Amino acid sequence: MLSFTSRGESPFIKVAIVGLDIAKHVFQLHGTDRDGKVVLRRKMRRHEVVPFFANLASCVVGLEACGGAHYWARRLTAAGHAVRLIAPQFVKPFVKSNKNDANDAEAICEAAGRPSMRFVSAKSVEQQDIQSLHRVRSRLVSCRTQLVNQLRGLLMEYGIVLPQHVGQVRRGVPEILEDESNELTLLGRRLLASLYNELVDLDSKVEQIEKELRAVYAASEPCQRIAAVEGIGLLTATAIVAAMSDGKVFQNGRQFAAWLGLVPKQHSSGGRPRLLGISKRGDPYLRTLLIHGARSVVYRACRKKDVRSVWIVDKQRRLGTTRACVAVANKNARIVWSLIARGGALPCAARVYTPRPGYAGKLNFRAVEKTLASQAWKTLCVFHFSTARDDGFSDRFHRDA
């Protein structure tokens, strides 16, 4: 390794791992050599970080995966360092005594050197652009829902009741404003008109973001490949690609499903396993999209006879609709990981179950589930392309296309 000298440190210091605690203006560094001996403790301003690491020999730099971490990961990687992003909850156990910048940097350095530590993949600028579109759209949709609820609540005080759907409010408010037989005063009509104009403005902003997502979808081959999975539409496909461009970060689909929080939480002891509800770890936005998309698959499964639909119907009958939706979301997550990490296309031929003669039409659900579990992942990918989008936006997109 090369050496560096700065602010009174002795020359020829060899740094193997650096823990960098990032902030808005003041950054804290903690470095150790190959033997784990502390050789670097330093506080610096934001503008000093890039020149410092540009003159530092290549080493491992640990960062907490928080705000601005992906930007610094790209800058430090360009400087020739191996950057490791760590989830904050995995750094917390290494913090000694009180919390401060120096202890945080030391904990990050310790966590980055652990051989079994799990790391977060750094996002590219393009991924962050797509994710920003989803975040802004989610906020706009939430604001629109709040606005619609406020409109309905205010109208109810005047004895006017509108259904819950946002489309009912779009159609009903102009008619109410033109109706002179109700109890609305001039002031009340002006107020409701301003709220309706705000609703129209939010609709236009959401539509503009959806156009941007359509363009991203049309230009992305991975998005189009995973959108062929039943229960995954444009929103889910672009959100997954923005969150995980390289599927090899996870060893298998089970790890990806666990990262999304779609697996049971475990509280086992003494060799006796105890499984609870789903862990709900990871990105709640992705998990919500996958479960809502799976819900449409579950509702349509009773009208189909392929092996996967039979498995879904059995899950729904034994466990209930909600747990069946989570099970389908888990399976879709594993299939999506396979399509991204291993490449290839989704087989479109559906296998239809036909009971053997003399069986009186009965079906051994346990045998079907066991067969499903033992087959390869491609055999499980039995889907129809014409159904099960993840939300109304996806339905509008496929109709317009």
Side-chain angles (χ1 to χ4, degrees):
M1 287 186 177
L2 299 178
S3 62
F4 70 94
T5 306
S6 58
R7 290 197 179 182
E9 285 113 351
S10 60
F12 307 108
I13 298 177
K14 297 181 178 179
V15 181
I17 302 177
V18 176
L20 177 61
D21 182 48
I22 61 176
K24 294 181 180 179
H25 303 292
V26 179
F27 289 46
Q28 181 73 37
L29 281 73
H30 183 94
T32 59
D33 58 11
R34 295 184 182 274
D35 299 326
K37 182 181 178 181
V38 179
V39 294
L40 172 65
R41 287 193 183 98
R42 180 172 176 179
K43 181 183 295 185
M44 61 179 59
R45 306 293 293 182
R46 184 182 184 91
H47 65 274
E48 299 175 333
V49 175
V50 174
F52 176 83
F53 280 97
N55 296 323
L56 183 66
S58 298
C59 62
V60 175
V61 181
L63 296 171
E64 278 188 324
C66 55
H70 294 282
Y71 164 78
W72 287 110
R74 292 192 297 268
R75 294 298 301 271
L76 298 180
T77 301
H81 301 284
V83 181
R84 296 178 178 177
L85 299 181
I86 312 170
Q89 62 267 26
F90 293 155
V91 176
K92 183 65 176 177
F94 296 96
V95 177
K96 299 176 182 177
S97 185
N98 300 318
K99 183 190 182 305
N100 52 53
D101 293 345
N103 288 342
D104 288 346
E106 182 180 357
I108 295 171
C109 182
E110 179 68 23
R114 304 298 296 178
S116 60
M117 181 57 62
R118 302 172 186 173
F119 301 107
V120 180
S121 60
K123 290 183 175 60
S124 63
V125 177
E126 292 76 13
Q127 286 180 275
Q128 289 190 311
D129 287 342
I130 301 174
Q131 203 165 55
S132 298
L133 287 174
H134 279 275
R135 295 296 182 263
V136 174
R137 182 185 179 276
S138 178
R139 180 188 60 82
L140 291 175
V141 171
S142 178
C143 292
R144 184 175 63 183
T145 302
Q146 296 177 12
L147 179 60
V148 168
N149 291 336
Q150 187 177 44
L151 270 168
R152 294 179 62 251
L154 293 176
L155 287 172
M156 187 177 295
E157 298 298 329
Y158 294 94
I160 303 172
V161 179
L162 287 176
Q164 291 185 356
H165 197 275
V166 62
Q168 299 286 344
V169 177
R170 292 193 190 101
R171 293 188 296 267
V173 172
E175 298 176 358
I176 293 171
L177 293 176
E178 295 176 359
D179 186 8
E180 298 180 354
S181 61
N182 53 43
E183 297 184 356
L184 290 177
T185 62
L186 183 60
L187 176 61
R189 292 178 191 276
R190 287 202 303 265
L191 178 61
L192 293 175
S194 65
L195 293 178
Y196 179 76
N197 292 333
E198 185 179 350
L199 176 61
V200 173
D201 184 55
L202 286 175
D203 285 336
S204 64
K205 291 181 179 179
V206 171
E207 181 62 29
Q208 182 61 36
I209 292 180
E210 291 176 356
K211 289 181 180 179
E212 297 288 347
L213 289 174
R214 292 190 188 100
V216 170
Y217 176 86
S220 175
E221 188 273 335
C223 288
Q224 299 176 19
R225 186 166 68 247
I226 66 177
V229 178
E230 186 181 15
I232 294 180
L234 181 145
L235 278 182
T236 309
T238 53
I240 289 177
V241 169
M244 180 194 66
S245 62
D246 184 12
K248 296 180 180 179
V249 175
F250 304 95
Q251 294 181 2
N252 48 46
R254 183 173 63 253
Q255 286 190 1
F256 179 56
W259 178 69
L260 292 173
L262 291 171
V263 298
K265 186 185 295 184
Q266 188 173 172
H267 189 77
S268 304
S269 179
R272 299 186 64 179
R274 183 188 178 195
L275 300 180
L276 309 175
I278 60 173
S279 64
K280 295 185 180 179
R281 298 188 181 97
D283 191 346
Y285 181 75
L286 276 179
R287 185 171 58 253
T288 300
L289 291 179
L290 285 168
I291 291 179
H292 283 337
R295 200 177 303 278
S296 62
V297 178
V298 172
Y299 287 157
R300 290 174 172 85
C302 60
R303 300 195 292 265
K304 302 177 184 178
K305 298 299 181 182
D306 57 275
V307 175
R308 185 168 183 265
S309 298
V310 170
W311 174 79
I312 293 173
V313 170
D314 176 48
K315 285 286 185 183
Q316 186 179 16
R317 178 183 62 85
R318 292 188 295 108
L319 303 177
T321 301
T322 301
R323 292 184 179 180
C325 293
V326 175
V328 174
N330 184 301
K331 189 176 292 295
N332 282 350
R334 297 187 182 202
I335 294 169
V336 165
W337 175 86
S338 297
L339 292 175
I340 293 178
R342 300 175 180 175
L346 186 71
C348 58
R351 299 198 315 154
V352 179
Y353 172 79
T354 54
R356 64 178 183 269
Y359 197 62
K362 296 181 180 180
L363 177 62
N364 187 345
F365 289 101
R366 295 292 185 182
V368 171
E369 185 173 357
K370 183 177 180 180
T371 302
L372 283 169
S374 63
Q375 290 172 338
W377 71 276
K378 285 188 177 181
T379 308
L380 297 177
C381 300
V382 181
F383 303 102
H384 299 285
F385 290 90
S386 60
T387 59
R389 303 299 170 189
D390 56 351
D391 56 10
F393 165 54
S394 297
D395 291 336
R396 295 199 306 274
F397 167 75
H398 286 277
R399 285 200 303 267
D400 295 340

